[in-house]
Amino acid sequence: EAAVTQSPRSKVAVTGGKVTLSCHQTNNHDYMYWYRQDTGHGLRLIHYSYVADSTEKGDIPDGYKASRPSQENFSLILELASLSQTAVYFCASSDVSGFGEQYFGPGTRLTVL
Amino acid sequence: GDSVTQTEGPVTLSEGTSLTVNCSYETKQYPTLFWYVQYPGEGPQLLFKVPKANEKGSNRGFEATYNKEATSFHLQKASVQESDSAVYYCALRSGGSNYKLTFGKGTLLTVTP
């Protein structure tokens, strides 16, 4: 069965600090995604990637960077964390040969103080 | 761009009653439509998908028909159970090669015994 794992599962960061969220998939999928989830906004796409060493901006990329060093791994980087980036972050993957259904990880709860 | 609008929550129902979550969408390309479900503490997971107009998708007693003329994809269940308590997301993937999904804001369903 498809598997997407995220680390850490929760994190407390200080304003202005650097935060790295990691995602690993064993699905052999080409596409990987980072979303944030906030009450009243649902899931919003931050960055995505369709091949290693390349990333694309999603709908809300400001304040975030992404890195895809291999097919299996996709990181989200907050260089200068801010209070407004407190949210739950989800990673997902999808297969180019399917209908585009995405498989999600369990999420990372980030609190910026 | 693409957009998805669904029933604003939260929705509270008694066990055994029927559920309808409205979903409408806008896209200039041919869509593939999805319903995702997110249980507490987990990432979203695919409930079912419908890639063709006027076809029905179903899973776990939930169903939805892709109405191309009305650009709608309402989720229905005849008799909800307490275990159906979750957040439900309508999503669409429009034609194209980037495999992005556009999600609605989600509808929180609570089913009381």
Side-chain angles (χ1 to χ4, degrees):
Chain A
E1 185 171 324
V4 179
T5 56
Q6 296 182 230
S7 62
R9 292 296 311 278
S10 68
K11 183 172 181 65
V12 178
V14 296
T15 303
K18 182 177 181 179
V19 176
T20 300
L21 307 182
S22 299
C23 178
H24 179 78
Q25 55 111 350
T26 58
N27 305 331
N28 200 33
H29 286 169
D30 294 307
Y31 281 82
M32 296 187 74
Y33 311 81
W34 276 107
Y35 293 90
R36 65 175 282 172
Q37 182 179 56
D38 304 272
T39 302
H41 290 280
L43 292 163
R44 293 183 290 174
L45 182 65
I46 306 171
H47 287 287
Y48 67 101
S49 168
Y50 54 86
V51 67
D53 296 322
S54 178
T55 63
E56 304 292 330
K57 293 181 179 179
D59 299 322
I60 54 164
D62 292 346
Y64 302 93
K65 292 172 57 178
S67 173
R68 181 95 181 268
S70 64
Q71 186 190 38
E72 299 79 17
N73 296 294
F74 192 36
S75 297
L76 185 68
I77 303 153
L78 291 65
E79 294 278 6
L80 296 170
S82 67
L83 294 174
S84 64
Q85 293 177 311
T86 292
V88 180
Y89 291 84
F90 288 99
C91 177
S93 71
S94 69
D95 187 356
V96 67
S97 63
F99 286 107
E101 57 265 41
Q102 296 181 8
Y103 297 86
F104 284 80
T108 296
R109 181 173 296 277
L110 175 65
T111 303
V112 182
L113 302 175
Chain B
D2 299 337
S3 68
V4 174
T5 303
Q6 64 180 99
T7 300
E8 299 262 342
V11 174
T12 302
L13 297 174
S14 299
E15 263 193 331
T17 59
S18 64
L19 168 72
T20 297
V21 180
N22 293 323
C23 173
S24 60
Y25 63 88
E26 291 185 19
T27 180
K28 294 183 178 179
Q29 302 192 56
Y30 193 90
T32 297
L33 298 170
F34 305 83
W35 277 101
Y36 278 78
V37 59
Q38 183 181 18
Y39 298 105
E42 299 181 10
Q45 57 183 270
L46 181 67
L47 188 56
F48 56 83
K49 64 180 181 287
V50 178
K52 294 183 180 180
N54 301 319
E55 288 196 354
K56 179 184 292 187
S58 63
N59 188 19
R60 306 183 206 172
F62 292 89
E63 61 181 33
T65 299
Y66 169 5
N67 186 326
K68 181 181 178 183
E69 289 70 31
T71 63
S72 67
F73 190 50
H74 306 319
L75 180 69
Q76 296 179 309
K77 187 173 186 181
S79 176
V80 295
Q81 305 299 312
E82 194 173 356
S83 58
D84 294 327
S85 297
V87 178
Y88 293 84
Y89 288 98
C90 182
L92 77 88
R93 170 186 168 258
S94 61
S97 61
N98 63 14
Y99 285 78
K100 286 176 59 179
L101 291 182
T102 300
F103 286 87
K105 293 184 177 181
T107 301
L108 173 62
L109 170 67
T110 301
V111 180
T112 58

